[in-house]
Amino acid sequence: MGPAELVQAAAMARRFYLEGKSKIQIAEEFGVSRFKVARVLETALERDLVRIEIRVPSELDAERSDALRARYGLRHAVVVESPADAPAAYGGGTPTEDAADPENLGEVAAGLLGELVNEGDVLGLAWGRSTIHMAAALHRLPPCTVVQLTGVYDAGTADRGSVEAVRRAADVAGGEAHPIYAPMLLPDPATAAALRGQTGIARAFEYFDKVTVACVSIGSWAPGISTVYDMLSEQEREHYASLGAAAEMSAHLFDADGRRIGRDLGERCITVEADRLRRIPEVVAIAGGRRKAAAIGAVLRSGLVTSLVTDTAAADHLLLETGPGPRPALDRADPDGV
């Protein structure tokens, strides 16, 4: 390009990229066709006269996020830096066995919910450390109703757990709160059924079919990273492990292929049913770390989740999986066909 062409290309690029003018407007200003403008802008990119830089906050991994969204057919996938991958100045350090940071994941999920929830929606929150951190990080939500989707891990910690998370989210939204003051897991189906019939719990259950956006956590079938695993006896753990338990979400168990197992356990639990979860338009899962990666993949295969907030440690594992990925946000198919 000669000097006149360079000057003209720079001027056109400035109009298009910085001033937001259309190609037609630029063509009229310079007395050329819009096709000529398009060619000049393309040449400006090729000759490095214009450089386009896409920047997102350093803790977000845009490339992995897009790859994960495409791989699993998710509506939204947001991948954050694992603590082990972050620069030392930002708290990173030596990689650990499980690099999950539920507080950071919760903060990012809070931002995502701020985008997804609309006025008049019903937001459902299931028990989980990440969802509790998410609720604590909420700063804005449109006016909406908030309902608890599961009982609590320990009724004695309700004020610091999911009940408080529901109340916190409702306060931010200026809407009604419908918490569940009951344990997630009961000794037998009869006790669970009796609790479901209590007025406050029954009222919360009535909202399950109205939930438009849900937020859930995922656990692996191992101590310390599965609420249900930690609540069961050793004999019960071995029984469900023999059935192929690989993951749990909201007290529902899944094998590695995303098929539900141990359905009898649900009869003892205070939780939203899987078929109701499948009918919720937007189900956001929050989970990260290498130890949870396989479990996240299993739950994605279940077709119950439409969006995911995770970290680079889990994303790298999920992106290495072979074979066609599930498309939960597109068809919400049940692997069991049930």
Side-chain angles (χ1 to χ4, degrees), residues 126-128 149-153 183-186 196 216-219 221 226-229 231-232 240 247-254 260-274 277 299 304:
W127 195 96
L149 296 178
T150 64
V152 298
Y153 172 50
M184 182 188 296
L185 179 65
L186 282 304
R196 292 190 202 104
V216 301
S217 294
I218 296 173
W221 197 243
S226 166
T227 300
V228 173
Y229 183 98
M231 289 191 291
L232 294 174
Y240 292 118
E248 65 98 350
M249 179 183 70
S250 302
H252 300 295
L253 307 185
F254 305 88
R260 288 184 59 213
I261 63 170
R263 294 172 187 254
D264 59 307
L265 183 65
E267 298 176 4
R268 296 168 49 196
C269 293
I270 303 296
T271 186
V272 60
E273 299 94 327
L277 266 178
V299 172
L304 293 174

Side-chain angles (χ1 to χ4, degrees), residues 6-338:
L6 284 171
V7 169
Q8 185 184 66
M12 287 183 177
R14 185 176 297 108
R15 303 288 194 281
F16 186 73
Y17 291 109
L18 299 182
E19 299 176 13
K21 290 187 176 182
S22 69
K23 293 174 183 176
I24 293 176
Q25 289 173 315
I26 297 170
E28 290 175 352
E29 178 182 348
F30 287 88
V32 297
S33 71
R34 61 186 177 88
F35 302 106
K36 167 74 178 228
V37 173
R39 287 196 298 272
V40 170
L41 293 174
E42 183 177 347
T43 302
L45 284 171
E46 292 174 351
R47 300 292 180 86
D48 221 19
L49 187 63
V50 173
R51 296 183 182 181
I52 297 176
E53 184 177 7
I54 299 173
R55 301 181 65 184
V56 296
S58 59
E59 71 271 14
L60 300 181
D61 193 309
E63 185 175 350
R64 284 185 176 94
S65 297
D66 187 57
L68 201 59
R69 178 201 56 76
R71 173 74 176 80
Y72 287 90
L74 296 162
R75 290 203 186 98
H76 305 281
V78 182
V79 178
V80 305
E81 290 281 357
S82 298
D85 297 329
Y90 293 94
T94 304
T96 58
E97 183 182 1
D98 182 10
D101 182 350
E103 188 170 349
N104 188 32
L105 290 174
E107 289 178 359
V108 173
L112 178 60
L113 279 191
E115 298 180 50
L116 299 180
V117 176
N118 296 307
E119 183 173 352
D121 276 348
V122 176
L123 172 62
L125 300 182
W127 195 96
R129 294 178 183 88
S130 295
T131 54
I132 291 170
H133 285 299
M134 180 276 299
L138 283 171
H139 296 295
R140 63 180 181 88
L141 274 180
C144 64
T145 299
V146 185
V147 61
Q148 193 169 323
L149 296 178
T150 64
V152 298
Y153 172 50
D154 180 353
T157 63
D159 288 342
R160 302 189 302 277
S162 45
V163 170
E164 178 58 28
V166 168
R167 294 199 176 280
R168 161 70 181 168
D171 285 344
V172 172
E176 295 182 4
H178 294 277
I180 294 178
Y181 294 98
M184 182 188 296
L185 179 65
L186 282 304
D188 53 71
T191 304
L195 279 177
R196 292 190 202 104
Q198 290 188 357
T199 303
I201 298 174
R203 187 178 298 116
F205 268 63
E206 289 173 359
Y207 275 90
F208 285 0
D209 286 328
K210 303 174 185 177
V211 174
T212 50
V213 180
C215 192
V216 301
S217 294
I218 296 173
S220 297
W221 197 243
I225 48 177
S226 166
T227 300
V228 173
Y229 183 98
D230 291 341
M231 289 191 291
L232 294 174
S233 68
E234 187 59 36
Q235 183 178 3
E236 290 171 321
R237 294 168 185 167
E238 293 176 358
H239 168 66
Y240 292 118
S242 71
L243 298 179
E248 65 98 350
M249 179 183 70
S250 302
H252 300 295
L253 307 185
F254 305 88
D255 67 12
D257 295 321
R259 296 184 174 88
R260 288 184 59 213
I261 63 170
R263 294 172 187 254
D264 59 307
L265 183 65
E267 298 176 4
R268 296 168 49 196
C269 293
I270 303 296
T271 186
V272 60
E273 299 94 327
D275 60 341
R276 279 178 161 172
L277 266 178
R278 199 179 303 278
R279 292 196 296 268
I280 296 174
E282 187 74 72
V283 179
V284 181
I286 313 171
R290 288 196 299 275
R291 289 200 298 168
K292 283 191 177 182
I296 296 169
V299 172
L300 291 181
R301 295 184 192 93
S302 75
L304 293 174
V305 169
T306 61
S307 297
L308 176 68
V309 177
T310 189
D311 58 21
T312 52
D316 286 343
H317 175 93
L318 292 167
L319 291 171
L320 285 174
E321 292 189 349
T322 58
R327 310 289 288 178
L330 300 181
D331 54 32
R332 308 296 295 277
D334 187 340
D336 288 329
V338 177

